[in-house]
């Protein structure tokens, strides 16, 4: 298929999804006919007229659409991975919904900016619970406002000519005197918090049920003296002298036979793969045990001149763009963090968008399936690949992808990752881990560019594994695993 025909194919999968996923992540019955009606390829946002009430109404409608889409997307991963009967053949529908949601999010941010320009409101970005949200407040420079009711006075009375009426002066449209703010507030944080509380209650209920079953089966019985009978949970030994509790990330730890891997790091315009864009991908290969392949170029020029390629080979740096609407708004935080200014990364400036470039996705997928891939906090990269790379979710579910994470390596096996008041689980950032493992000079910091971060991660991993092997710890310790290790999904029938 060419161009955007895959959106039609994605909608063709709706019957499969409807049969397996009747409700979204918030327990609401999904209106699949509504999903089928959406123009995913060309936009699901609302384009308002330049009047305060029209902007308000369009923003309200777009928030409602985004909430519906994101609740569906959030449930798709669970439904797909637990579809053991393989009723759902493809993950392209969630990818198509995420594609549309990113453009919708751009539209929302554009309207927020437009409202600021017309002095309909002031926008502040605030951390609330699990999310940073846009909080709308009355525009303080436009005259009296009623903060208690969340209403903005646009009448222009008592404060001279309101700046918010600039558009009215150039239009025959009669503006309303007020615009409500309470019904156009971002509810993302409240939604995520409520969702987390439901998951917490479900986990508690499951643990209680498991405990009751264990008591019934006498699996929790102890031998004389109170020692657990054989088969109980073993303590988590590590190389550090402190003993962090095992958690779900431990599934991503490497095994003692790990060798050829690909390190990868991505830079994005935000932290949400259903709202933001991949703008930089860097990856390279390194062998953890066997010699570096013969015939590979001996040197590579990283941005940081003090980086030495060493055992790394097959380095690659890929740059991607953003839609014009996203570029127009800019992204000061990402520019400061990475040095990438999205204002110069518009698709109109010739940059290709990753989620519109099938060949780039196919090329990356081919590399991801050739050998284990390594990332620091790999669940981040995994979540982005699920919603951006055609075929990734299907390959992962089929067991063709193995993921290794250096974050739990730092947390479980690094003596320097001791808990402190500032870092209750130890300082396990890539910057701290790379410095402790001799992959980054203490005078320099993590660069926050894909290739450079991939490099220091792999160098740190290789140094770390060599030290652990010499000590008989980590993968070579009593709780270590044979084989490559890492996280993969076995085929279910």
């Amino acid at each position: 298929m060419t161009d955007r025909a895959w959106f039609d194919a994605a909608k063709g999968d709706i019957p499969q999804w409807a049969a397996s996923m009747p409700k979204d992540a918030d327990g609401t019955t999904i209106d699949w006919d509504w999903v089928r009606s959406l123009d995913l390829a060309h936009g699901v946002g609302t384009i308002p007229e330049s009047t305060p009430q029209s902007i308000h109404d369009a923003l309200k409608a777009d928030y409602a659409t985004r909430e519906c889409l994101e609740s569906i997307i959030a449930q798709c991963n669970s439904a797909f991975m637990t579809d053991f009967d393989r009723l759902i053949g493809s993950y392209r529908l969630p990818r198509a919904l995420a594609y549309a949601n990113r453009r919708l999010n751009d539209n929302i941010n554009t309207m927020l900016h437009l409202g600021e320009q017309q002095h309909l409101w002031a926008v502040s970005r605030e951390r609330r619970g699990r999310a940073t949200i846009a909080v709308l407040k009355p525009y303080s420079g436009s005259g009296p406002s009623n903060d208690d009711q969340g209403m903005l006075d646009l009448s222009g009375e008592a404060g001279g000519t309101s700046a918010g009426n600039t558009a009215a002066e150039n239009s025959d449209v009669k503006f309303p005197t007020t615009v409500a703010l309470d019904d156009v507030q971002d509810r993302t944080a409240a939604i995520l918090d409520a969702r987390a509380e439901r998951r917490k209650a479900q986990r508690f209920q499951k643990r209680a049920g498991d405990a009751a079953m264990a008591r019934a089966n006498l699996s929790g019985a102890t031998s004389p003296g109170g020692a657990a009978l054989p088969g109980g949970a073993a303590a988590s030994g590590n190389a550090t002298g402190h003993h962090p509790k095992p958690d779900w990330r431990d599934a991503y730890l490497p095994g003692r036979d790990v060798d050829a891997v690909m390190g990868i790091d991505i830079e994005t315009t935000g932290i949400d793969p259903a709202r933001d864009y991949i703008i930089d991908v860097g990856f390279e290969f390194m062998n953890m045990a066997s010699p570096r392949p013969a015939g590979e170029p001996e040197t590579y020029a990283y941005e940081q001149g003090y980086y030495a390629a060493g055992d790394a080979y097959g380095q690659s740096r890929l740059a991607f763009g953003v839609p014009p609407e996203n570029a127009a708004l800019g992204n000061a935080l990402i520019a400061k963090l990475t040095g990438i200014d999205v204002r110069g990364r518009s698709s109109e400036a010739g940059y290709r968008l990753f989620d519109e470039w099938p060949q780039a996705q196919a090329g990356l997928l081919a590399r991801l399936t050739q050998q284990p891939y390594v990332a620091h906090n790999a669940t981040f990269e995994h979540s982005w690949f699920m919603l951006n790379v055609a075929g990734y979710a299907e390959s992962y579910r089929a067991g063709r992808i193995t993921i290794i994470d250096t974050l739990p390596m730092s947390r479980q096996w690094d003596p320097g990752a001791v808990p402190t008041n500032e870092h209750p689980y130890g300082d396990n950032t890539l910057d701290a881990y790379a410095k402790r493992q001799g992959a980054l000079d203490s005078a320099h910091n993590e660069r926050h560019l894909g290739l450079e971060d991939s490099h220091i991660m792999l160098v740190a991993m290789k140094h770390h594994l060599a030290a652990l092997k010499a000590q008989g710890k980590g993968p070579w310790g009593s709780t270590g695993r044979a084989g490559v290790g890492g996280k993969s999904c076995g085929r279910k029938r």
Side-chain angles (χ1 to χ4, degrees):
M1 289 181 290
T2 59
D3 299 327
R4 296 181 177 177
W6 73 278
F7 290 99
D8 293 332
K11 284 189 177 182
D13 296 338
I14 286 178
Q16 303 171 17
W17 285 94
S20 299
M21 197 176 85
K23 294 186 177 181
D24 63 21
D26 299 313
T28 302
T29 299
I30 299 172
D31 184 351
W32 287 107
D33 288 334
W34 172 78
V35 176
R36 191 178 285 106
S37 72
L38 297 173
D39 188 350
L40 302 177
H42 300 99
V44 297
T46 306
I47 306 300
E49 298 177 359
S50 295
T51 66
Q53 193 62 45
S54 294
I55 295 171
H56 165 279
D57 293 348
L59 179 60
K60 181 179 179 180
D62 279 4
Y63 270 147
T65 300
R66 190 176 72 179
E67 289 175 10
C68 290
L69 281 177
E70 291 184 350
S71 291
I72 295 172
I73 294 168
Q75 187 64 20
C76 285
N77 181 70
S78 177
F80 188 74
M81 297 308 299
T82 58
D83 176 27
F84 303 125
D85 293 328
R86 299 298 187 258
L87 299 176
I88 306 171
S90 171
Y91 207 70
R92 57 192 164 196
L93 180 61
R95 288 194 298 106
L97 296 179
Y99 175 97
N101 196 69
R102 292 183 199 105
R103 278 74 184 168
L104 173 64
N105 196 59
D106 290 345
N107 201 55
I108 288 172
N109 287 327
T110 298
M111 283 193 288
L112 291 174
H113 182 64
L114 179 61
E116 283 188 298
Q117 286 184 319
Q118 295 201 11
H119 297 169
L120 306 184
W121 47 63
V123 181
S124 63
R125 304 283 175 172
E126 300 179 11
R127 186 72 183 180
R128 300 280 181 87
R130 291 167 171 78
T132 298
I133 63 172
V135 179
L136 303 189
K137 300 177 180 178
Y139 175 68
S140 59
S142 64
S145 63
N146 187 338
D147 292 343
D148 293 336
Q149 297 182 19
M151 302 289 286
L152 171 62
D153 185 355
L154 294 176
S155 64
E157 298 176 0
T161 302
S162 169
N165 286 336
T166 304
E169 295 168 358
N170 300 318
S171 172
D172 294 331
V173 178
K174 181 176 177 58
F175 278 35
T177 57
T178 57
V179 171
L181 300 185
D182 55 349
D183 61 348
V184 284
Q185 298 291 355
D186 187 346
R187 300 193 322 121
T188 301
I191 291 171
L192 294 180
D193 287 347
R195 198 176 292 164
E197 286 300 313
R198 286 193 299 272
R199 289 197 301 266
K200 182 179 179 181
Q202 291 167 355
R203 287 195 299 269
F204 178 81
Q205 186 176 25
K206 183 180 185 300
R207 284 197 296 267
D210 290 345
M213 184 64 70
R215 287 193 297 272
N217 293 336
L218 300 180
S219 60
T222 58
S223 61
L229 289 173
S236 174
N238 57 35
T240 68
H242 69 283
H243 299 273
K245 295 180 180 179
D247 69 9
W248 57 269
R249 296 177 186 84
D250 294 351
Y252 293 85
L253 289 167
R256 65 179 66 102
D257 300 316
V258 65
D259 189 16
V261 297
M262 183 182 83
I264 189 165
D265 183 77
I266 64 175
E267 303 300 332
T268 62
T269 58
I271 62 172
D272 190 335
R275 292 187 183 182
D276 302 305
Y277 299 90
I278 294 175
I279 52 176
D280 182 77
V281 177
F283 58 84
E284 67 178 25
F285 300 83
M286 188 176 290
N287 296 352
M288 296 292 116
S290 63
R292 185 175 182 274
E296 293 288 343
E298 292 296 328
T299 60
Y300 185 88
Y302 297 92
E303 187 199 65
Q304 310 297 77
Y306 48 86
Y307 282 7
D311 295 332
Y313 59 96
Q315 297 92 339
S316 186
R317 187 196 309 276
L318 307 173
F320 302 101
V322 297
E325 295 79 8
N326 189 284
L329 294 171
N331 195 320
L333 176 63
I334 297 303
K336 181 179 180 180
L337 183 67
T338 68
I340 300 173
D341 189 344
V342 297
R343 293 176 298 178
R345 287 285 185 97
S346 169
S347 56
E348 292 179 341
Y351 280 87
R352 295 286 299 271
L353 276 67
F354 184 73
D355 65 359
E356 292 185 351
W357 198 346
Q359 294 83 358
Q361 296 170 35
L364 181 57
L365 179 63
R367 289 167 173 81
L368 293 171
T369 55
Q370 285 175 355
Q371 68 292 295
Y373 79 81
V374 182
H376 195 80
N377 190 19
T379 53
F380 181 80
E381 274 75 13
H382 175 70
S383 66
W384 284 80
F385 296 156
M386 289 286 288
L387 290 178
N388 279 273
V389 179
Y392 176 88
E394 295 86 343
S395 294
Y396 178 74
R397 189 176 69 171
R400 294 193 292 270
I401 290 176
T402 299
I403 311 169
I404 294 174
D405 195 340
T406 52
L407 176 60
M409 287 183 63
S410 173
R411 190 170 185 267
Q412 297 288 358
W413 295 338
D414 189 332
V418 293
T420 64
N421 290 336
E422 185 179 1
H423 300 285
Y425 300 100
D427 189 351
N428 299 303
T429 62
L430 176 58
D431 184 87
Y433 176 63
K435 287 175 178 175
R436 290 196 300 266
Q437 297 302 327
L440 184 62
D441 190 280
S442 61
H444 300 97
N445 294 318
E446 174 188 358
R447 179 59 186 84
H448 293 292
L449 280 178
L451 179 57
E452 281 68 25
D453 290 356
S454 296
H455 183 63
I456 62 171
M457 175 186 66
L458 288 184
V459 173
M461 178 182 176
K462 186 161 186 173
H463 289 178
H464 196 186
L465 286 175
L468 291 169
K469 184 175 183 179
Q471 299 164 7
K473 297 178 179 178
W476 294 272
S478 60
T479 60
R481 290 187 289 169
V484 169
K487 178 74 164 64
S488 60
C489 179
R491 184 184 297 274
K492 304 290 184 179
R493 295 189 183 277

